[in-house]
């Protein structure tokens, strides 16, 4: 006579501290109490950009968002000027003033050039964001990007005082700029997503913004090093300029 054995069904072990719950989507902006806390100062705006992006994005949808957007734009220009001052210490002299003005002015000019295409792509993506809200999101993107550059500034200063290679310093500044821009673009894309944007329109605009910003570094050269004139007298594509600089 064969005895039948009862085999318990296989079950997944329970690991303490790990939940099986599926990831819940973020609640809409304003759904959390922290989102509705007003941002009344520059310091608060900086902290919100770094720690509470939802709060910043929600406040940019409120009726008084114009003031907040202006504050964010001021933070971005001030931060870009300070980082430019650090970049100017590599050569000293006239670059201590020229580099900050070029970097801050170039950033503002790039934003103005890319704003129309950002608004058009935002509309095509199905977003409900109005023009003023798109401007606010762009200002938040620039603010976060330049705040991160301030964090890299001490490292840039150390290398600017310990190396004489223009190509090495230019490459280091580009690495810092790409990293900071990546974080800023994540904030911008998150804000547009909360406004209903869908599809890959942001990727197209990202490429456009990067191309304009990189060409601006060549149009306003030199940002690192020195030259006989304040601005270049010849036109050049940024890839050609970089190839010449790294030779």
């Amino acid at each position: 006579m064969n005895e039948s054995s009862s085999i318990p069904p296989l079950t997944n072990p329970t690991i303490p501290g790990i939940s099986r719950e599926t990831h819940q989507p973020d609640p809409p902006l304003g759904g959390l109490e922290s989102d509705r806390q007003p941002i009344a100062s520059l310091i608060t705006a900086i902290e919100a950009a770094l720690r509470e992006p939802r709060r910043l994005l929600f406040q940019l949808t409120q009726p008084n968002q114009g003031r907040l957007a202006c504050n964010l734009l001021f933070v971005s220009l001030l931060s870009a000027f300070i980082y430019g001052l650090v970049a100017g210490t590599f050569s000293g002299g006239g670059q201590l003033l020229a580099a900050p003005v070029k970097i801050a002015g170039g950033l503002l000019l790039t934003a103005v050039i890319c704003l129309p295409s950002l608004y058009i792509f935002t509309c095509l993506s199905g977003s409900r964001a109005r023009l003023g809200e798109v401007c606010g999101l762009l200002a938040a993107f620039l603010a976060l990007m330049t705040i991160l550059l301030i964090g890299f500034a001490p490292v840039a200063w150390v290398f600017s005082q310990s190396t004489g290679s223009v190509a090495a310093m230019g490459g280091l500044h580009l690495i810092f700029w790409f990293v900071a821009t990546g974080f800023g673009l994540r904030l911008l894309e998150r804000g547009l997503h909360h406004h209903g944007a869908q599809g890959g329109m942001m990727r197209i605009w990202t490429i456009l913004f990067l191309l304009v910003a990189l060409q601006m570094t060549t149009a306003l050269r030199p940002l690192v090093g020195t030259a006989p004139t304040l601005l270049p007298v010849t036109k050049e594509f940024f890839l050609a300029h970089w190839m010449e600089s790294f030779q």
Side-chain angles (χ1 to χ4, degrees), residues 29-31 35-36 53-62:
L29 292 180
D35 297 347
R36 299 188 291 272
R54 285 179 51 91
R55 178 185 177 190
L56 180 64
L57 296 176
F58 175 72
Q59 293 301 322
L60 286 172
T61 65
Q62 300 308 294

Side-chain angles (χ1 to χ4, degrees), residues 4-233:
S4 60
S5 59
S6 175
I7 301 177
L10 297 177
T11 58
N12 294 328
T14 301
I15 302 176
I18 298 182
S19 174
R20 295 184 187 178
E21 294 181 0
T22 58
H23 175 70
Q24 297 295 329
D26 290 340
L29 292 180
L32 302 178
E33 184 179 354
S34 58
D35 297 347
R36 299 188 291 272
Q37 296 297 322
I39 299 176
S41 66
L42 291 176
I43 300 299
T44 307
I46 293 173
E47 291 180 347
L50 295 173
R51 297 179 178 179
E52 300 176 290
R54 285 179 51 91
R55 178 185 177 190
L56 180 64
L57 296 176
F58 175 72
Q59 293 301 322
L60 286 172
T61 65
Q62 300 308 294
N64 60 343
Q65 61 89 20
R67 180 178 179 181
L68 177 58
C70 290
N71 287 340
L72 291 172
L73 184 59
F74 175 78
V75 168
S76 64
L77 293 178
L78 179 61
S79 300
F81 188 90
I82 294 174
Y83 187 82
L85 185 63
V86 174
T89 59
F90 175 76
S91 300
Q95 281 294 91
L96 289 174
L97 179 60
V101 172
K102 288 181 180 181
I103 291 177
L107 179 67
L108 179 61
L109 186 57
T110 300
V112 171
I113 292 173
C114 295
L115 175 59
S117 59
L118 175 61
Y119 179 66
I120 292 173
F121 286 141
T122 298
C123 294
L124 293 176
S125 67
S127 172
R128 302 177 300 275
R130 301 183 299 271
L131 177 59
E133 293 171 336
V134 173
C135 292
L137 290 174
L138 182 59
F141 155 59
L142 296 176
L144 180 57
M145 179 181 69
T146 53
I147 291 169
L148 291 175
L149 286 178
I150 291 294
F152 294 134
V155 181
W157 179 82
V158 169
F159 279 91
S160 68
Q161 302 305 306
S162 58
T163 181
S165 172
V166 174
M169 283 306 304
L172 185 66
H173 286 304
L174 282 175
I175 292 174
F176 291 159
W177 181 80
F178 274 117
V179 173
T181 302
F183 279 94
L185 288 171
R186 283 178 56 189
L187 178 63
L188 176 61
E189 187 171 359
R190 183 176 179 180
L192 292 175
H193 174 73
H194 279 292
H195 282 284
Q198 299 178 355
M201 292 296 178
M202 267 301 299
R203 295 184 180 91
I204 300 176
W205 185 84
T206 297
I207 296 174
L208 180 63
F209 176 83
L210 293 176
L211 288 175
V212 173
L214 293 174
Q215 184 61 29
M216 195 66 66
T217 63
T218 301
L220 299 177
R221 67 185 187 275
L223 299 177
V224 179
T226 58
T229 58
L230 181 63
L231 293 174
V233 295

